[in-house]
Amino acid sequence: MRPIDIARKLKLSTSALRNYEAQGLVPPVERSAGGYRLYTAEHVAYFTCIQAMSPGFGMEVTAEVVRNVQARQLDAALWRVNEVQALLQRDKQLAESNMRMFCELDGKQTQAESGEAWLTIKEASRKTGLPSSTIRHWEKTGLITTTRDPQNGYRLFNRSHIRKIMLLQALRAQVYSPTVVELKNAIAHMREDDVLEARKIATDSLQYLHRVNCWQMRGIHALYDLCRLVKLVE
């Protein structure tokens, strides 16, 4: 098949096809006497798989999987896919937990109303189950803004900070997308005592994870078709 025909079929640019080829994501391509690329049905299956998998799995994982398929390492490819799906399941459970937590809160509940003490970063890490390095990274990138102890300069976290961390945690494993960026920005700019906004973000995050689940299903379907074509599965 001609590159332009494949590009039109998959709604990709021919430069994208060449880029995938240059990265070794498809098998070597033979050339005609005139120097034109001669793509086969196998190449089309690889391109289709890459296009289908990348929205739900990201290009890094997709590239790893298709390279494993080329090396005929089926188990490695399938377990890598399974690993990403397990992370999505974990994020879904976190998002559902956030939903329940915010639904149980009445309107706006401030730090003063709760009477909860300030937490150090070590305590915040223990409470959320996240490494301190991850929390520091989110602070460095502006997703959370902590308070500093006036006496020793240590980071201090209140209930609002913990809520933001938990909302971010439910998106931690998700690949870059405009929606993920939008959700993280909403978390970063969420008012400290606005439980209703936190509830909305938790709802939107869960809905996004549902969509990712569908994208991953489409990617797995294309991966199966590819593996069947190259006779890795029956």
Side-chain angles (χ1 to χ4, degrees), residues 178-212:
T179 302
V180 170
V181 172
E182 182 180 338
L183 287 168
K184 288 183 176 181
N185 284 337
I187 295 169
H189 294 95
M190 185 177 71
R191 294 190 302 275
E192 181 168 322
D193 59 352
D194 197 341
V195 176
L196 295 179
E197 176 64 12
R199 188 183 304 169
K200 180 181 183 302
I201 294 172
T203 302
D204 291 344
S205 296
L206 184 58
Q207 291 301 317
Y208 175 73
L209 296 178
H210 289 327
R211 293 199 298 274
V212 173

Short mmCIF file of all heavy atoms in Angstrom, two decimals, residues 178-212:
data_model
loop_
_atom_site.label_atom_id
_atom_site.label_comp_id
_atom_site.label_asym_id
_atom_site.label_seq_id
_atom_site.Cartn_x
_atom_site.Cartn_y
_atom_site.Cartn_z
N PRO A 178 -5.11 16.92 27.09
CA PRO A 178 -5.70 18.21 27.46
C PRO A 178 -6.65 18.11 28.64
O PRO A 178 -6.70 19.02 29.49
CB PRO A 178 -6.43 18.63 26.18
CG PRO A 178 -5.68 17.96 25.08
CD PRO A 178 -5.26 16.64 25.65
N THR A 179 -7.39 17.00 28.73
CA THR A 179 -8.33 16.84 29.84
C THR A 179 -7.60 16.70 31.17
O THR A 179 -8.00 17.29 32.18
CB THR A 179 -9.22 15.61 29.62
OG1 THR A 179 -9.93 15.76 28.38
CG2 THR A 179 -10.23 15.46 30.75
N VAL A 180 -6.52 15.93 31.19
CA VAL A 180 -5.74 15.77 32.42
C VAL A 180 -5.15 17.11 32.85
O VAL A 180 -5.18 17.46 34.04
CB VAL A 180 -4.62 14.72 32.23
CG1 VAL A 180 -3.67 14.73 33.42
CG2 VAL A 180 -5.23 13.33 32.07
N VAL A 181 -4.65 17.87 31.89
CA VAL A 181 -4.11 19.20 32.20
C VAL A 181 -5.20 20.09 32.78
O VAL A 181 -4.98 20.80 33.78
CB VAL A 181 -3.50 19.84 30.94
CG1 VAL A 181 -3.11 21.30 31.21
CG2 VAL A 181 -2.28 19.06 30.49
N GLU A 182 -6.37 20.05 32.18
CA GLU A 182 -7.49 20.87 32.65
C GLU A 182 -7.90 20.48 34.07
O GLU A 182 -8.15 21.36 34.92
CB GLU A 182 -8.68 20.69 31.70
CG GLU A 182 -9.89 21.53 32.04
CD GLU A 182 -11.03 21.33 31.06
OE1 GLU A 182 -10.77 20.88 29.93
OE2 GLU A 182 -12.19 21.61 31.44
N LEU A 183 -7.96 19.19 34.34
CA LEU A 183 -8.34 18.73 35.68
C LEU A 183 -7.30 19.14 36.72
O LEU A 183 -7.64 19.59 37.82
CB LEU A 183 -8.52 17.21 35.68
CG LEU A 183 -9.77 16.67 34.98
CD1 LEU A 183 -9.67 15.16 34.80
CD2 LEU A 183 -11.02 17.03 35.77
N LYS A 184 -6.03 19.00 36.38
CA LYS A 184 -4.97 19.37 37.32
C LYS A 184 -4.97 20.88 37.58
O LYS A 184 -4.73 21.32 38.71
CB LYS A 184 -3.61 18.91 36.79
CG LYS A 184 -3.42 17.40 36.87
CD LYS A 184 -2.03 16.99 36.42
CE LYS A 184 -1.82 15.49 36.59
NZ LYS A 184 -0.47 15.06 36.17
N ASN A 185 -5.23 21.65 36.54
CA ASN A 185 -5.32 23.11 36.74
C ASN A 185 -6.49 23.47 37.65
O ASN A 185 -6.39 24.38 38.48
CB ASN A 185 -5.47 23.81 35.39
CG ASN A 185 -4.16 23.87 34.61
OD1 ASN A 185 -3.09 23.79 35.20
ND2 ASN A 185 -4.25 24.02 33.30
N ALA A 186 -7.60 22.76 37.48
CA ALA A 186 -8.76 23.00 38.34
C ALA A 186 -8.43 22.68 39.80
O ALA A 186 -8.84 23.41 40.71
CB ALA A 186 -9.95 22.17 37.87
N ILE A 187 -7.68 21.61 40.00
CA ILE A 187 -7.27 21.25 41.37
C ILE A 187 -6.36 22.33 41.94
O ILE A 187 -6.50 22.75 43.09
CB ILE A 187 -6.56 19.88 41.37
CG1 ILE A 187 -7.54 18.77 40.96
CG2 ILE A 187 -5.97 19.58 42.75
CD1 ILE A 187 -6.88 17.44 40.68
N ALA A 188 -5.41 22.78 41.13
CA ALA A 188 -4.45 23.78 41.59
C ALA A 188 -5.14 25.08 42.00
O ALA A 188 -4.71 25.74 42.96
CB ALA A 188 -3.41 24.05 40.51
N HIS A 189 -6.20 25.46 41.29
CA HIS A 189 -6.87 26.74 41.55
C HIS A 189 -8.11 26.59 42.43
O HIS A 189 -8.83 27.57 42.64
CB HIS A 189 -7.25 27.40 40.22
CG HIS A 189 -6.06 27.81 39.40
ND1 HIS A 189 -5.53 27.02 38.41
CD2 HIS A 189 -5.28 28.92 39.46
CE1 HIS A 189 -4.48 27.63 37.87
NE2 HIS A 189 -4.30 28.78 38.49
N MET A 190 -8.36 25.40 42.93
CA MET A 190 -9.52 25.17 43.78
C MET A 190 -9.40 25.96 45.08
O MET A 190 -8.36 25.94 45.73
CB MET A 190 -9.63 23.67 44.09
CG MET A 190 -10.86 23.26 44.86
SD MET A 190 -10.90 21.45 45.08
CE MET A 190 -9.57 21.23 46.27
N ARG A 191 -10.46 26.66 45.46
CA ARG A 191 -10.45 27.42 46.70
C ARG A 191 -10.36 26.48 47.89
O ARG A 191 -10.91 25.38 47.88
CB ARG A 191 -11.69 28.31 46.80
CG ARG A 191 -11.74 29.41 45.76
CD ARG A 191 -12.87 30.40 46.07
NE ARG A 191 -14.17 29.73 46.12
CZ ARG A 191 -14.91 29.48 45.05
NH1 ARG A 191 -14.49 29.84 43.84
NH2 ARG A 191 -16.08 28.88 45.17
N GLU A 192 -9.72 26.94 48.93
CA GLU A 192 -9.40 26.08 50.06
C GLU A 192 -10.61 25.43 50.69
O GLU A 192 -10.57 24.27 51.08
CB GLU A 192 -8.62 26.88 51.12
CG GLU A 192 -8.21 26.05 52.32
CD GLU A 192 -7.21 26.77 53.20
OE1 GLU A 192 -6.33 27.45 52.66
OE2 GLU A 192 -7.31 26.63 54.42
N ASP A 193 -11.71 26.16 50.81
CA ASP A 193 -12.86 25.63 51.54
C ASP A 193 -14.00 25.19 50.61
O ASP A 193 -15.10 24.94 51.07
CB ASP A 193 -13.39 26.68 52.53
CG ASP A 193 -13.81 27.97 51.82
OD1 ASP A 193 -13.54 28.09 50.61
OD2 ASP A 193 -14.39 28.85 52.49
N ASP A 194 -13.74 25.09 49.31
CA ASP A 194 -14.81 24.81 48.36
C ASP A 194 -14.96 23.30 48.14
O ASP A 194 -14.39 22.72 47.21
CB ASP A 194 -14.52 25.52 47.03
CG ASP A 194 -15.77 25.61 46.16
OD1 ASP A 194 -16.71 24.83 46.40
OD2 ASP A 194 -15.80 26.45 45.25
N VAL A 195 -15.73 22.68 48.99
CA VAL A 195 -15.96 21.24 48.89
C VAL A 195 -16.78 20.90 47.66
O VAL A 195 -16.58 19.85 47.03
CB VAL A 195 -16.65 20.72 50.17
CG1 VAL A 195 -16.98 19.24 50.04
CG2 VAL A 195 -15.76 20.95 51.38
N LEU A 196 -17.70 21.79 47.28
CA LEU A 196 -18.53 21.53 46.10
C LEU A 196 -17.67 21.45 44.83
O LEU A 196 -17.90 20.61 43.97
CB LEU A 196 -19.60 22.61 45.97
CG LEU A 196 -20.64 22.66 47.09
CD1 LEU A 196 -21.63 23.79 46.85
CD2 LEU A 196 -21.37 21.33 47.21
N GLU A 197 -16.70 22.34 44.72
CA GLU A 197 -15.80 22.30 43.57
C GLU A 197 -14.95 21.03 43.60
O GLU A 197 -14.71 20.40 42.56
CB GLU A 197 -14.89 23.54 43.57
CG GLU A 197 -13.84 23.56 42.47
CD GLU A 197 -14.42 23.63 41.06
OE1 GLU A 197 -15.62 23.91 40.93
OE2 GLU A 197 -13.65 23.41 40.11
N ALA A 198 -14.50 20.66 44.78
CA ALA A 198 -13.72 19.42 44.92
C ALA A 198 -14.56 18.22 44.49
O ALA A 198 -14.06 17.30 43.82
CB ALA A 198 -13.26 19.25 46.36
N ARG A 199 -15.83 18.23 44.86
CA ARG A 199 -16.72 17.14 44.47
C ARG A 199 -16.89 17.08 42.95
O ARG A 199 -16.89 16.00 42.35
CB ARG A 199 -18.07 17.33 45.15
CG ARG A 199 -19.04 16.16 44.97
CD ARG A 199 -20.38 16.49 45.62
NE ARG A 199 -20.21 16.84 47.02
CZ ARG A 199 -21.19 17.37 47.77
NH1 ARG A 199 -22.37 17.61 47.23
NH2 ARG A 199 -20.97 17.65 49.03
N LYS A 200 -17.00 18.24 42.32
CA LYS A 200 -17.14 18.29 40.86
C LYS A 200 -15.88 17.76 40.18
O LYS A 200 -15.96 17.00 39.20
CB LYS A 200 -17.41 19.73 40.40
CG LYS A 200 -17.57 19.86 38.88
CD LYS A 200 -17.80 21.29 38.47
CE LYS A 200 -18.02 21.40 36.96
NZ LYS A 200 -16.88 20.85 36.18
N ILE A 201 -14.72 18.15 40.69
CA ILE A 201 -13.47 17.67 40.10
C ILE A 201 -13.35 16.16 40.25
O ILE A 201 -12.92 15.46 39.33
CB ILE A 201 -12.26 18.37 40.75
CG1 ILE A 201 -12.28 19.86 40.41
CG2 ILE A 201 -10.95 17.74 40.29
CD1 ILE A 201 -11.25 20.67 41.18
N ALA A 202 -13.75 15.65 41.41
CA ALA A 202 -13.71 14.20 41.63
C ALA A 202 -14.63 13.49 40.64
O ALA A 202 -14.28 12.44 40.09
CB ALA A 202 -14.11 13.88 43.07
N THR A 203 -15.81 14.06 40.41
CA THR A 203 -16.76 13.48 39.45
C THR A 203 -16.19 13.50 38.04
O THR A 203 -16.25 12.50 37.31
CB THR A 203 -18.09 14.25 39.48
OG1 THR A 203 -18.62 14.21 40.80
CG2 THR A 203 -19.10 13.65 38.51
N ASP A 204 -15.63 14.64 37.65
CA ASP A 204 -15.06 14.77 36.30
C ASP A 204 -13.87 13.82 36.12
O ASP A 204 -13.69 13.26 35.04
CB ASP A 204 -14.61 16.21 36.06
CG ASP A 204 -15.78 17.18 35.95
OD1 ASP A 204 -16.92 16.71 35.77
OD2 ASP A 204 -15.55 18.40 36.07
N SER A 205 -13.09 13.65 37.17
CA SER A 205 -11.94 12.74 37.09
C SER A 205 -12.40 11.30 36.87
O SER A 205 -11.83 10.57 36.05
CB SER A 205 -11.10 12.83 38.37
OG SER A 205 -10.54 14.11 38.53
N LEU A 206 -13.44 10.91 37.59
CA LEU A 206 -13.96 9.55 37.45
C LEU A 206 -14.52 9.33 36.05
O LEU A 206 -14.29 8.28 35.43
CB LEU A 206 -15.03 9.29 38.50
CG LEU A 206 -15.61 7.87 38.53
CD1 LEU A 206 -14.52 6.83 38.76
CD2 LEU A 206 -16.68 7.76 39.61
N GLN A 207 -15.23 10.32 35.52
CA GLN A 207 -15.77 10.21 34.17
C GLN A 207 -14.64 10.09 33.14
O GLN A 207 -14.74 9.34 32.17
CB GLN A 207 -16.65 11.42 33.85
CG GLN A 207 -17.96 11.46 34.63
CD GLN A 207 -18.81 10.23 34.39
OE1 GLN A 207 -18.96 9.76 33.25
NE2 GLN A 207 -19.38 9.68 35.45
N TYR A 208 -13.57 10.83 33.36
CA TYR A 208 -12.43 10.74 32.45
C TYR A 208 -11.81 9.35 32.49
O TYR A 208 -11.47 8.78 31.44
CB TYR A 208 -11.38 11.79 32.82
CG TYR A 208 -10.12 11.68 31.99
CD1 TYR A 208 -10.11 12.06 30.65
CD2 TYR A 208 -8.95 11.15 32.53
CE1 TYR A 208 -8.97 11.94 29.88
CE2 TYR A 208 -7.81 11.02 31.76
CZ TYR A 208 -7.82 11.42 30.44
OH TYR A 208 -6.69 11.28 29.68
N LEU A 209 -11.69 8.78 33.67
CA LEU A 209 -11.12 7.43 33.79
C LEU A 209 -12.00 6.40 33.09
O LEU A 209 -11.49 5.43 32.53
CB LEU A 209 -10.93 7.07 35.26
CG LEU A 209 -9.92 7.93 36.03
CD1 LEU A 209 -9.87 7.51 37.50
CD2 LEU A 209 -8.54 7.86 35.41
N HIS A 210 -13.30 6.60 33.11
CA HIS A 210 -14.20 5.72 32.36
C HIS A 210 -13.88 5.78 30.86
O HIS A 210 -13.87 4.75 30.17
CB HIS A 210 -15.66 6.12 32.59
CG HIS A 210 -16.18 5.81 33.96
ND1 HIS A 210 -15.76 4.72 34.69
CD2 HIS A 210 -17.10 6.45 34.74
CE1 HIS A 210 -16.39 4.70 35.86
NE2 HIS A 210 -17.20 5.73 35.91
N ARG A 211 -13.61 6.99 30.37
CA ARG A 211 -13.28 7.14 28.95
C ARG A 211 -11.94 6.46 28.63
O ARG A 211 -11.80 5.80 27.59
CB ARG A 211 -13.23 8.62 28.56
CG ARG A 211 -14.58 9.31 28.62
CD ARG A 211 -14.59 10.60 27.81
NE ARG A 211 -13.64 11.58 28.29
CZ ARG A 211 -13.88 12.46 29.25
NH1 ARG A 211 -15.07 12.46 29.87
NH2 ARG A 211 -12.97 13.34 29.61
N VAL A 212 -10.98 6.62 29.53
CA VAL A 212 -9.68 5.97 29.32
C VAL A 212 -9.86 4.46 29.25
O VAL A 212 -9.21 3.78 28.44
CB VAL A 212 -8.70 6.34 30.45
CG1 VAL A 212 -7.40 5.53 30.33
CG2 VAL A 212 -8.38 7.83 30.41
#
